[in-house]
Amino acid sequence: TEIVNNHHAVQAWDHVVCLIRAEMARRGVHPTRTVVLVPYAQLMQQARSAWLRSAGSDAPDAALHSDGTVFFMPRFETTMNWSHSLGGFEPAGDDLRLDAARDVLTAASLLSRAGLAAHENVLGSRLMEAAWSVARLAAAQPPANRVQWGLQLGAALAADLQAPVFAMEAATARLAVAWAASSGYPSDPVFAATPDLLVLLEGFQAEPLSQALQQCLGERVLTLPLASSAANGLGQIALHEALDAEDEAQRTCACVLTHLAAGRSPVALVAQDRVLTRRVRALLAGRGVPVRDETGWKLSTTRAAAGLMSLLRASVWNASTDAVLDWLKNAPAFESPALTKAEARWRKLGVREWRAVPREALVAQANDVLGALQAPKPLASWLAALRVALQAGGQWQTLLPDPAGAAVLDALRLREGDELEFADVAARMSLSEFTGWVSQTLEAANFLPEHPAPTLPGQVVILPLSQLLGRALAAVVLPGCDEVRLPVSPEPPGAWTPEQRALLGLPSRAELAAAARAAWRYALQFPHVDVLWRQSEGGEHLMSSGFVQELRLSQAPALADDPCVLRPITAQPGAMPRPTGQALSVTRLSSTAYEDLRRCPYRFFALRQLRLQESDELDTELGKRDFGNWLHSVLHHFHETLKVTPAHDL
């Protein structure tokens, strides 16, 4: 197995720890009075390991506990972990929670109080997204100065959007800043903390809260750039140009397996494209490779969320038969054989709308479940009714043991008693409004699958490009390095204009581009790097990223061979099947059936004896012929009516 301890990340950590020790010795600061803030949570263990590795039993500041095994060490934290450990914060009232389930409701309430209730459906999600985008900046303001900061920004934004055509944008911007500025944050207790030494390890981008702490604590702060501590040359880079998305996924999986076969572990799989990454993860799972996913995916894309949404779509008064069938097939309480027979009858009748389906026992059972999800009611009552419907349909029992299902229940507060959190929301919601709230909540939440043990041999770690920083990895596989997924100049998130971003203090396009370039250069320093991109997507030609083009011009590395290994397969001719149909006698034979028998006995056997046929569609798309017939009917009606009652020119 390749030893990763000589990797530049380990050397960088050793260098950083030496600098921290030297500064502590110079100031005479004890480790327990020192806090080291790392860029993200996964680096806390890396930092602790580096500290213990450099301590040694004879170190002057390595005071041992009574068991003689644990050294005193600084607190290695992220800003979020440090805030939670200090405690003392409870959100209240209209505080921004960064939780869509609550913030969607608060945004609607703020719009109503601002006289914009008529535009709630349009501006609600925009207001929440705008407030979220400035929340980190607001949290970086000391609590005593935050309101004044918000008033100044609100006035500046109002002056920037004075034209009447920007009235809605101006109102949304002012509300977002006011909301963020009037909220409390879990990080507020850190402004009252007084460590003797605060060490800020900088990543590729500056953290607003870290900058604020540097201003508050002054000389007690030491800033160390973690990225520049490992300025090594390029590693062994292999470039792979795939034909399309599937070819790129296959090659990515092959690259990972090649590294593992060579004893290089752990391997980083960078999540540039979530769809491609999930495909690669499925391929690796088929080979039994343990994967640790640190990025996750949207909760709304999980099977558990899709099953719950199918119940809400089936509950509308004008639900289609297809929508209800989709829910019934996800509800274990409905007997599968009976449902299959009922579906065949409904398709034969061509009943498009569920309310027109003939009444029978299965229909009555389904309507009993759906009936409780139609009348307007407060949010807490909606959640209780949805829980009862999930239990009656048998979906509740499938959600509980599923990690994604449990995440759905927690995000929507569907567990017994959790709905009381919304007891203060007295407004009655319609089914469409409740469905919109559920959809926004699931869309805003992320699902992180259960991680295998971090020390598992042959492990693959899925992470973002920026979180390669400080990680000890034997190899890096970078798929999705095309012009769309890895742009040289990333598009700034959110709806803020460049002038507004500068006014708010959000990173500019140039700053985002510099951070992306720094992350790219850092990734190329790992010992083994595979860079992959696709030539086409959706029938359109796709170019490689500007970073890849620059690399090919400067270093001129040749394209690597296809890492996929073809397996020789011995040809094994099979005997033609010879079905017999003595038990499926045919009593009558039409001319069409005889023609089927003459042309293809297998077709005759399938259609006439087994009586197999395609399911009739209940809701088909309209074709050009349908539109043409409608147009001719309308014109015919117009001309015939014109003959009877001619219109006189005025």
Side-chain angles (χ1 to χ4, degrees), residues 426 544 551:
S544 60
L551 176 66

Side-chain angles (χ1 to χ4, degrees), residues 249-538:
Q250 296 285 348
R251 288 181 180 233
T252 302
C253 180
C255 289
V256 172
L257 295 175
T258 300
H259 290 307
L260 295 178
R264 295 189 280 267
S265 176
V267 178
L269 175 61
V270 178
Q272 295 284 115
D273 179 1
R274 273 312 318 181
V275 176
L276 176 70
T277 304
R278 292 185 71 173
R279 172 61 177 152
V280 175
R281 179 183 174 130
L283 293 173
L284 293 173
R287 301 297 296 268
V289 177
V291 176
R292 179 182 178 88
D293 193 338
E294 297 180 358
T295 59
W297 50 86
K298 288 187 178 297
L299 188 58
S300 59
T301 63
T302 61
R303 181 178 178 85
L308 184 142
M309 291 300 297
S310 69
L311 170 59
L312 295 177
R313 285 191 292 267
S315 301
V316 297
W317 68 273
N318 60 343
S320 66
T321 307
D322 275 333
V324 179
L325 279 172
D326 180 37
W327 165 62
L328 291 173
K329 292 177 180 179
N330 285 284
F334 296 92
E335 186 180 357
S336 181
L339 179 59
T340 302
K341 293 179 181 179
E343 180 183 3
R345 291 195 302 272
W346 300 337
R347 292 191 181 280
K348 188 175 182 180
L349 293 173
V351 185
R352 188 171 183 175
E353 295 185 350
W354 174 252
R355 56 186 174 178
V357 173
R359 297 296 179 229
E360 53 184 276
L362 182 61
V363 176
Q365 183 185 359
N367 287 339
D368 288 342
V369 178
L370 301 176
L373 298 177
Q374 294 177 350
K377 53 181 73 71
L379 179 56
S381 301
W382 268 116
L383 295 175
L386 180 57
R387 180 171 61 247
V388 172
L390 290 171
Q391 292 170 346
Q395 293 175 272
W396 184 268
Q397 292 76 9
T398 62
L399 292 174
L400 287 176
D402 179 20
V408 169
L409 298 181
D410 293 335
L412 297 177
R413 279 59 161 192
L414 284 174
R415 299 184 189 272
E416 189 73 34
D418 288 355
E419 72 276 5
L420 298 178
E421 178 183 340
F422 303 109
D424 58 329
V425 183
R428 297 167 67 86
M429 303 172 66
S430 65
L431 174 59
S432 61
E433 291 172 334
F434 176 67
T435 303
W437 176 84
V438 171
S439 178
Q440 285 182 290
T441 301
L442 296 177
E443 185 70 19
N446 272 357
F447 170 65
L448 285 174
E450 294 181 345
H451 292 163
T455 57
L456 212 56
Q459 189 179 72
V460 177
V461 183
I462 300 177
L463 39 66
L465 180 62
S466 61
Q467 292 190 9
L468 290 174
L469 177 64
R471 306 292 283 269
L473 301 163
V476 174
V477 179
L478 270 149
C481 294
D482 52 65
E483 57 182 341
V484 175
R485 293 160 187 84
L486 187 60
V488 175
S489 180
E491 185 70 24
W496 303 107
T497 64
E499 293 76 12
Q500 291 171 340
R501 295 185 68 86
L503 185 64
L504 292 168
L506 292 169
S508 64
R509 179 187 287 271
E511 292 172 335
L512 294 176
R517 179 172 293 276
W520 167 259
R521 289 177 175 173
Y522 187 87
L524 299 183
Q525 298 178 15
F526 284 86
H528 301 274
V529 183
D530 287 288
V531 178
L532 301 97
W533 69 94
R534 67 193 73 164
Q535 294 178 340
S536 63
E537 183 174 37

Side-chain angles (χ1 to χ4, degrees), residues 211-266:
Q211 294 177 327
L213 292 175
Q214 189 172 6
Q215 294 179 356
C216 292
L217 297 177
E219 295 181 353
R220 285 184 288 177
V221 176
L222 172 66
T223 302
L224 296 176
L226 184 58
S228 63
S229 300
N232 288 4
L234 299 181
Q236 183 178 340
I237 303 173
L239 303 181
H240 304 269
E241 189 175 39
L243 297 176
D244 50 25
E246 180 59 26
D247 185 32
E248 186 177 5
Q250 296 285 348
R251 288 181 180 233
T252 302
C253 180
C255 289
V256 172
L257 295 175
T258 300
H259 290 307
L260 295 178
R264 295 189 280 267
S265 176

